[in-house]
Amino acid sequence: SSGINAEYGGASTTTGIQLNGIMRCPGRYCGIYQDICTACPRGLRVNLTSEICEPCVNKPVFYDWLYMGFMLLTIIFFHMDTLTRNIDDDVKGAGKWIAVTILETVLSVLLTLLLSDPYGSFSVHSCGVDSFLDWYSVFQNPAIRFTETIYCESEVVYPLYSIAFKFLGFCLILMLVIRTWYHPVSFTTRSVYAALYFIPSVALVHSVCCGLIYYSFPYLCVIGSLIFNAVIMSASLQNFDDVKDNLGKPVFMIQIVMYWVLHGYGILSIVAYNSLSYWYLFLTPIPTLFYIVTLPFSLPVAPSNTPDAPDGAV
């Protein structure tokens, strides 16, 4: 064949390059599907050896599950933060709504898994993640002789990109349905309004920064939890007596548990990604204990008012 169109058959349905009688597709993510070089359909990924689009039938690795769990934790923490800010004195009622929030999130997870390939089961087929570029295949379209672009963008990391939007959509729908049905009160109404902002915001951030989040979320958890811990402690503890007093306050204890879960989750993710020892999980409560132990040394001391020196004193 001669000419670009003869060799590649158009921008999206190229016939590829014949090398030693074997079809080769240009670009990193272009694969052979139905005898043409094109973007692999959703749920398929190009085999780098044969360059054929093959179905993804592998199971997600543990770190992939942790990434999906991070999206779940993000939604729960936003809900918890909104509820604890608006609890006022209705602790009993707040406990019920926290349980409702967890129920909404768990149901969203179950529906997401059931409606993911393979459908009707709680397992998930995954294409896996090989590199940072897998998340941004739209920027890897090959240009033939710098004049014609072959568009081969697809969800290379299937289902890690799309499953987050599915989960967030179910969270939004179930929240509106369940909280409308379950006799809303004033502070939960405010939490619904907040969720109408933060759930779409999480979806927007995920759509743009998914690759960055995938590799950095363990460190975001650890750093965020340390800041969260410092803010809680500085606002609630002024001396050792405050420690005893706050142990009986539900809001304070919920915040501490949230911090420990976030911090431990970050450590667990770092351990899983780097194949480290799980003994590092015992570091989870260290920042809290360190803050309490060093509390007497970090309190500011106001200068005392001393009487004026007598006249003639040096």
Side-chain angles (χ1 to χ4, degrees):
S1 302
S2 60
I4 296 176
N5 290 333
E7 288 186 12
Y8 296 101
S12 61
T13 58
T14 174
T15 57
I17 305 173
Q18 294 290 336
L19 294 177
N20 298 325
I22 301 176
M23 182 184 294
R24 295 297 180 187
C25 296
R28 182 184 180 93
Y29 300 112
C30 296
I32 302 171
Y33 182 72
Q34 296 181 347
D35 297 327
I36 58 175
C37 281
T38 184
C40 293
R42 188 167 176 266
L44 282 74
R45 180 168 180 170
V46 61
N47 185 307
L48 297 180
T49 302
S50 63
E51 300 198 1
I52 297 175
C53 293
E54 298 179 347
C56 299
V57 294
N58 295 325
K59 303 297 182 184
V61 298
F62 184 46
Y63 186 81
D64 291 345
W65 284 111
L66 289 172
Y67 172 73
M68 290 185 278
F70 172 73
M71 302 302 296
L72 181 150
L73 275 183
T74 301
I75 297 303
I76 289 182
F77 270 61
F78 273 123
H79 277 307
M80 292 293 188
D81 182 67
T82 306
L83 288 171
T84 53
R85 287 176 184 270
N86 296 282
I87 281 178
D88 298 326
D89 296 325
D90 189 9
V91 176
K92 184 177 180 180
K96 294 180 180 179
W97 279 104
I98 289 174
V100 170
T101 298
I102 296 175
L103 175 64
E104 294 169 358
T105 310
V106 171
L107 288 177
S108 299
V109 171
L110 296 179
L111 288 173
T112 301
L113 294 177
L114 288 173
L115 296 178
S116 299
D117 185 32
Y119 298 98
S121 70
F122 294 112
S123 60
V124 176
H125 287 167
S126 173
C127 294
V129 181
D130 293 334
S131 71
F132 178 77
L133 297 178
D134 291 349
W135 292 90
Y136 301 101
S137 61
V138 67
F139 300 116
Q140 305 299 315
N141 294 320
I144 307 303
R145 299 177 184 174
F146 303 100
T147 58
E148 182 177 353
T149 301
I150 301 178
Y151 296 98
C152 291
E153 65 271 11
S154 62
E155 189 182 358
V156 180
V157 295
Y158 174 85
L160 297 181
Y161 183 75
S162 59
I163 201 171
F165 296 111
K166 192 181 299 184
F167 166 70
L168 293 173
F170 282 127
C171 284
L172 197 58
I173 294 172
L174 290 176
M175 178 195 68
L176 294 175
V177 172
I178 293 178
R179 299 197 189 188
T180 302
W181 167 75
Y182 190 69
H183 307 297
V185 294
S186 60
F187 71 81
T188 56
T189 302
R190 292 193 292 269
S191 71
V192 170
Y193 289 147
L196 291 176
Y197 284 98
F198 71 69
I199 291 180
S201 299
V202 171
L204 178 62
V205 172
H206 171 73
S207 66
V208 177
C209 304
C210 49
L212 296 173
I213 296 173
Y214 179 81
Y215 288 102
S216 64
F217 81 87
Y219 307 98
L220 293 176
C221 286
V222 172
I223 295 173
S225 63
L226 291 176
I227 297 174
F228 186 54
N229 177 70
V231 171
I232 293 173
M233 293 297 181
S234 61
S236 304
L237 304 181
Q238 299 300 323
N239 51 56
F240 278 113
D241 293 333
D242 291 338
V243 176
K244 292 182 180 180
D245 295 337
N246 281 280
L247 288 178
K249 296 181 179 179
V251 174
F252 179 78
M253 294 308 299
I254 290 172
Q255 291 174 334
I256 291 298
V257 170
M258 289 169 58
Y259 152 71
W260 279 4
V261 170
L262 185 62
H263 196 67
Y265 198 85
I267 295 175
L268 175 62
S269 302
I270 293 174
V271 166
Y273 186 79
N274 297 284
S275 301
L276 301 176
S277 172
Y278 286 97
W279 287 101
Y280 284 103
L281 290 172
F282 287 100
L283 296 175
T284 299
I286 294 300
T288 302
L289 299 177
F290 178 81
Y291 190 97
I292 294 175
V293 170
T294 59
L295 189 60
F297 308 104
S298 59
L299 292 176
V301 178
S304 60
N305 294 323
T306 56
D308 295 335
D311 293 339
V314 179

